[in-house]
């Protein structure tokens, strides 16, 4: 019985620790890996419009904050022919909602290599996403390796610079 009590205490402590990390991340400058964080405040803001995103082609995951939200998240990002895109798997991880907010109001900030870029995210039509399918999948596989499950579908957002 004593061992069961200790296991229960340890489990309760772990749950409390995880909850504390998620709560504390809201006050952090940016996400903590996969854990959503607070607003993106540090880093130089790039005010010159970006017409060619090739410089970020090999950048891994980036940080994204929607203008309509006070939290940020880590997202995948890829570049094809100088144009930037942010893909969003609808089925993984479960419970995400940023994609619906971005489709309604695409104003956002991307932080890439410590610099903040004011952008507009525009959801591409499903037909355009399907046309890009194999090319986008090849680029994402090159950058990230194994892709998440896409049983729920994928939304693709094009990235366009905007003035802050």
């Amino acid at each position: 019985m004593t061992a069961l009590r200790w296991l229960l205490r340890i489990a309760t402590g772990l749950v409390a620790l995880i909850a504390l990390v998620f709560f504390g991340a809201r006050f952090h400058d940016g996400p903590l890996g996969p854990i959503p964080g607070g607003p993106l405040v540090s880093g130089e803001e790039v005010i010159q419009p970006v017409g060619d995103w090739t410089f970020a082609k090999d950048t891994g995951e980036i940080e994204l904050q929607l203008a309509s939200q006070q939290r940020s998240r880590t997202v995948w990002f890829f570049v094809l022919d100088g144009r930037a895109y942010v893909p969003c798997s609808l089925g993984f991880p479960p419970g995400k909602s940023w994609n619906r907010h971005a489709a309604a109001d695409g104003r956002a900030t991307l932080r890439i290599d410590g610099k903040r870029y004011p952008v507009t995210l525009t959801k591409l039509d499903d037909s355009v996403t399907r046309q890009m399918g194999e090319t986008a999948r090849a680029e994402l596989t090159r950058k990230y390796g194994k892709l998440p499950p896409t049983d729920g579908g994928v939304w693709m957002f094009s990235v366009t610079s905007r003035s802050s």
Side-chain angles (χ1 to χ4, degrees):
M1 194 65 163
T2 304
L4 186 59
R5 284 187 183 147
W6 274 107
L7 285 174
L8 184 60
R9 288 178 183 161
I10 290 170
T12 302
L14 286 174
V15 168
L17 180 63
I18 291 169
L20 184 63
V21 168
F22 272 84
F23 178 75
R26 292 180 175 262
F27 303 102
H28 186 262
D29 175 21
L32 297 171
I35 301 170
L40 302 176
V41 293
S42 69
E44 171 192 350
E45 184 175 28
V46 177
I47 56 175
Q48 294 289 18
V50 177
D52 184 352
W53 292 89
T54 305
F55 71 92
K57 181 177 179 73
D58 292 321
T59 300
E61 296 169 331
I62 63 167
E63 298 168 323
L64 165 74
Q65 179 190 345
L66 299 176
S68 62
Q69 298 181 335
Q70 288 298 308
R71 60 186 177 274
S72 57
R73 65 213 21 90
T74 303
V75 296
W76 283 8
F77 171 86
F78 70 99
V79 177
L80 292 176
D81 300 323
R83 299 203 53 193
Y85 301 92
V86 174
C88 177
S89 171
L90 301 179
F92 182 83
K96 90 171 68 167
S97 63
W98 73 263
N99 53 312
R100 291 189 300 278
H101 293 281
D105 179 3
R107 293 174 301 130
T109 299
L110 304 181
R111 187 160 54 191
I112 302 171
D113 294 332
K115 294 182 179 179
R116 293 178 296 137
Y117 298 86
V119 299
T120 300
L121 302 177
T122 305
K123 182 185 176 296
L124 300 178
D125 290 336
D126 290 339
S127 62
V128 175
T129 300
R130 277 192 298 278
Q131 286 174 352
M132 292 178 65
E134 287 309 312
T135 307
R137 184 180 312 276
E139 179 61 13
L140 289 167
T141 301
R142 180 193 73 81
K143 278 184 79 170
Y144 299 111
K146 187 175 179 191
L147 301 179
T150 58
D151 299 341
V154 174
W155 281 6
M156 194 79 68
F157 292 91
S158 67
V159 176
T160 309
S161 282
R162 68 174 171 84
S163 57
S164 57

